[in-house]
Amino acid sequence: MNNETLEIQPCELRFASESVLTCNAISTDGLIYKIYWQIKTTSPNKYSVRPNTGIIKPNATCDFKVTMSAHSVAPPNLKCTDKFLIQSIIVPFGTTEEGITSDMAELHGENSLSGRLQEV
């Protein structure tokens, strides 16, 4: 996933023999703002994302891990439709770490951005 402020790598999750994948959230070069981000999934009982929220400083990287619990039944045609929503918002100048809440990414203002990851 890539938008004007945040890049997520990899953009597709491929679980093979391992059940934990490490992903990166990368602040876009030249950005002078902090970014608050959070990740949600369509299958919260099947996946754990840690941390699932965070703050990325300008021109920095933040790692997070996606852990998949064991499948009880294989999906039909081995196709998976699980998705992850990444919401992010530019943190206004002067906002302290204590002033950043999980509700910030829920806002749908001009600073709010979202993208998707998908397990394939």
Side-chain angles (χ1 to χ4, degrees), residues 27 33-35 55-61 97:
S27 174
Y33 301 98
K34 292 179 187 173
I35 300 170
I55 299 169
I56 303 175
K57 295 181 180 178
N59 301 309
T61 299
E97 301 253 342

Side-chain angles (χ1 to χ4, degrees), residues 42-61:
T42 57
S43 300
N45 294 332
K46 188 172 164 184
Y47 300 96
S48 171
V49 180
R50 295 291 179 255
N52 61 352
T53 63
I55 299 169
I56 303 175
K57 295 181 180 178
N59 301 309
T61 299

Side-chain angles (χ1 to χ4, degrees), residues 8-16 21-23 41 47 49 64 66-67 80 82-84 117-120:
I8 304 293
Q9 294 178 354
C11 60
E12 294 182 340
L13 302 178
R14 296 181 187 271
F15 291 94
L21 294 177
T22 299
C23 302
T41 179
Y47 300 96
V49 180
F64 60 93
V66 178
T67 305
C80 185
D82 299 330
K83 296 178 182 169
F84 298 84
L117 279 176
Q118 182 171 352
E119 183 195 346
V120 291

